[in-house]
Amino acid sequence: MAPQTHRRRRASAEKTRPSVFWLLGGIVVPFVGLIAKIEIEGEDNLPEEGPFVLAPNHHSEIDPLLVAVAVWRMGRAPRFMAKESLFRVPVLGWALRATGMIPVARASSAAAAKQALDTARHLAERRAGVIVYPEGTLTRDPDLWPMRGKTGAARLALVGDIPLIPMAQWGAQQIMPRYGKFRLWPLRRRVRVRVGEPIALEEYRDRAAHPAAQAELTARVMDEIAGLLSDLRGEPAPAARWEPGAHGQSETGRLE
């Protein structure tokens, strides 16, 4: 494969403008630099300005930290969708609000649709991006491939006509295995990140509010993530995504 060439990226205003991200970055970035050597491919696929929905795979409790640093290094502020209950936790709630994290509640389909529309408007107005784990939780696939996704990321991208960008990361499991303990040594373990091209939304646009279209786009983004991860791992991804329910697993991974 020919080596990739990259144009020099410029940091967005949300990174260069003083904010609480500077304070958090001053703490988090050096720590992550100690435990991980993050290598980024395809960074040109993440827009320098404007809203986006970034959809990464999720196989370790520590990978949100690594994803956040990777996005920061690419010149954008890393905002996540976070459970609404976390915003009520002292100190943590303040940090989430101060960094512009977006609360997501367990709600009916009608309420979820309204929330997606409100969130999309918020991102467009602020020209901000958001990171949404489409699996909703750690993958249950025994080999750490992406499992079937939930429609949140697709719904948000469709209702706001916002670029939906798949992303794969691999190596976090060497630092903290799924449901395992944090491993400090050896330092600077290799973590690879690959950002894919934005998924074209044209064929779904006239059906943006339809659950079937959202499900189709979700399946597509999970396939794209699996393909990116296949490239990073150097092995073929399973043809179908893991279905927890079909294997007697709940969303927490326990047998039902």
Side-chain angles (χ1 to χ4, degrees):
M1 180 181 295
Q4 292 183 330
T5 58
H6 300 287
R7 58 187 170 83
R8 183 176 177 83
R9 288 178 62 91
R10 60 186 178 85
S12 65
E14 62 185 2
K15 182 176 180 180
T16 56
R17 185 184 304 119
S19 71
V20 71
F21 279 109
W22 283 17
L23 174 62
L24 295 176
I27 300 171
V28 173
V29 172
F31 170 70
V32 170
L34 181 67
I35 64 173
K37 180 183 179 182
I38 301 177
E39 301 173 2
I40 303 171
E41 304 171 30
E43 62 184 282
D44 289 346
N45 291 320
L46 189 71
E48 293 177 346
E49 301 285 351
F52 63 84
V53 177
L54 184 65
N57 62 313
H58 193 18
H59 62 256
S60 168
E61 288 91 338
I62 204 170
D63 67 49
L65 199 61
L66 305 177
V67 168
V69 170
V71 170
W72 184 250
R73 279 180 47 187
M74 286 186 278
R76 299 303 303 265
R79 296 181 178 87
F80 289 84
M81 298 284 280
K83 293 179 182 179
E84 188 179 47
S85 58
L86 296 177
F87 286 75
R88 296 191 291 271
V89 177
V91 182
L92 175 60
W94 171 85
L96 292 174
R97 287 187 292 272
T99 52
M101 303 298 171
I102 299 170
V104 58
R106 294 183 180 276
S108 65
S109 57
K114 181 181 183 302
Q115 185 180 52
L117 182 59
D118 291 343
T119 300
R121 287 172 176 164
H122 173 82
L123 294 175
E125 289 170 359
R126 299 198 173 199
R127 298 183 58 76
V130 66
I131 303 162
V132 182
Y133 282 107
E135 294 163 281
T137 186
L138 291 170
T139 182
R140 307 306 179 213
D141 186 293
D143 295 319
L144 302 183
W145 291 102
M147 64 178 178
R148 63 98 177 92
K150 297 182 178 180
T151 60
R155 184 189 306 120
L156 181 56
L158 284 173
V159 300
D161 197 19
I162 297 171
L164 176 58
I165 304 169
M167 172 179 157
Q169 48 84 25
W170 186 243
Q173 77 285 353
Q174 298 297 325
I175 300 170
M176 181 178 284
R178 181 182 54 183
Y179 307 126
K181 295 182 179 180
F182 175 74
R183 299 171 178 171
L184 180 60
W185 303 101
L187 297 176
R188 289 182 58 77
R189 290 179 183 267
R190 187 187 191 198
V191 175
R192 299 180 65 196
V193 170
R194 177 169 288 191
V195 182
E197 295 182 2
I199 296 175
L201 302 179
E202 286 79 8
E203 65 181 283
Y204 310 99
R205 199 163 281 144
D206 61 347
R207 301 180 293 139
H210 294 193
Q214 295 166 5
E216 290 172 20
L217 182 55
T218 298
R220 182 172 173 184
V221 76
M222 297 313 302
D223 287 345
E224 292 285 343
I225 294 170
L228 293 170
L229 185 57
S230 175
D231 292 339
L232 294 179
R233 294 175 58 164
E235 57 184 307
R241 308 284 75 79
W242 183 267
E243 288 278 356
H247 295 83
Q249 294 175 318
S250 68
E251 288 300 327
T252 60
R254 300 185 179 91
L255 292 178
E256 294 182 321

